[in-house]
Amino acid sequence: MRHLRRCKQLFCLLFGGVVAVTAAAIDVDRAKDVYGPCAACHGPFGAGGKQGEYPRIAGQSPKYLELQLQAFQSQGRINLPMYPYTRERELSDEDMKLVSAYLAEIALPTRPPVFKDSDDALTRLRAMEKVMIVPRVEGNVDNGQVVYQKNCAVCHGKTGHGRGMFPMLVGQYTNYLQKQIDAYLKGERPHDEEGATTGALYTLKAADIQDVLAYLTTLQEVRP
């Protein structure tokens, strides 16, 4: 049994491809340096664009982030603005792991913090910059819950916080999610790791998708 565990560990080190970087192992200064160019679009805390033009990446699954960076670099996922930042000479595999682990640890609260009287204006401003609340959108939340739990939860988690290679959906901009859904349905972006254009998403009606998006905006206070 001990020999088997050692073999598995060796296999993961040699062939795993995606090796997690634990929070304790993160070189924060180095990670911030790597992330620096990304902040121009994704913001200093990974919150993305206010209108969803750039996605929230803070708190996202580190494995998912790393896989997407690799896909951008190889152009397995076509995104021309991302390509210059992910070419091998710009972002190594080691840096991808590091920045993905760093971003995964950033928490964006959904409520303003309680300030002390002694907190100055700069302290209050910096704290408020990290608060991220996705506005509610129209839709039948009850139906959205049923549709989501039946079709989406198995991969994205019951509370939408993602799982492994599947991304967190809760706390993401609705406009961005809709844009990605449209890309999936048009075949511009594969919906799973094998590049298939089949699956639950392609069986849903437009109204059901809208209801799911509405439901996701109600989960922002929920923790996995």
Side-chain angles (χ1 to χ4, degrees):
M1 182 65 70
R2 183 177 299 175
H3 175 71
L4 179 59
R5 285 199 297 268
R6 288 178 178 175
C7 287
K8 287 182 177 179
Q9 290 171 352
L10 180 60
F11 178 86
C12 290
L13 287 173
L14 293 178
F15 304 108
V18 178
V19 180
V21 178
T22 63
I26 295 175
D27 182 341
V28 175
D29 290 338
R30 171 62 182 164
K32 288 181 177 180
D33 185 57
V34 173
Y35 180 70
C38 313
C41 295
H42 293 284
F45 307 112
K50 296 298 184 182
Q51 302 301 320
E53 64 273 28
Y54 302 108
R56 167 193 178 153
I57 51 180
Q60 191 60 269
S61 159
K63 184 172 183 179
Y64 173 76
L65 289 173
E66 186 181 347
L67 288 172
Q68 296 312 299
L69 289 171
Q70 292 173 347
F72 289 139
Q73 187 178 78
S74 67
Q75 292 195 289
R77 178 180 173 186
I78 304 298
N79 187 303
L80 294 181
M82 284 295 298
Y83 184 59
Y85 296 100
T86 54
R87 284 178 299 189
E88 187 172 356
R89 69 171 186 267
E90 297 285 349
L91 200 61
S92 67
D93 288 344
E94 181 182 357
D95 285 346
M96 288 184 190
K97 289 182 176 64
L98 178 62
V99 77
S100 297
Y102 167 70
L103 286 165
E105 293 298 315
I106 298 178
L108 300 178
T110 56
R111 293 182 179 179
V114 177
F115 295 109
K116 298 178 292 186
D117 292 339
S118 59
D119 291 334
D120 59 25
L122 182 59
T123 298
R124 294 168 186 257
L125 177 62
R126 286 177 174 172
M128 289 302 297
E129 284 179 343
K130 296 186 71 174
V131 176
M132 182 177 173
I133 305 172
V134 177
R136 297 288 178 91
V137 296
E138 293 184 2
N140 184 326
V141 172
D142 291 336
N143 180 57
Q145 179 177 8
V146 172
V147 174
Y148 178 85
Q149 297 300 334
K150 179 181 178 181
N151 297 278
C152 315
V154 66
C155 294
H156 296 284
K158 291 184 178 180
T159 59
H161 282 79
R163 182 178 297 147
M165 65 180 294
F166 299 101
M168 175 179 70
L169 303 179
V170 66
Q172 185 60 270
Y173 295 101
T174 303
N175 289 349
Y176 180 79
L177 290 176
Q178 184 65 67
K179 181 179 178 181
Q180 299 311 303
I181 289 171
D182 292 342
Y184 291 137
L185 296 178
K186 293 176 183 177
E188 297 172 355
R189 178 182 174 185
H191 188 220
D192 61 28
E193 69 278 14
E194 297 179 0
T197 54
T198 59
L201 180 62
Y202 304 92
T203 67
L204 300 181
K205 299 177 182 178
D208 286 336
I209 291 175
Q210 180 61 38
D211 291 346
V212 167
L213 294 175
Y215 170 64
L216 287 171
T217 63
T218 70
L219 299 180
Q220 294 176 78
E221 294 293 341
V222 178
R223 294 295 176 265

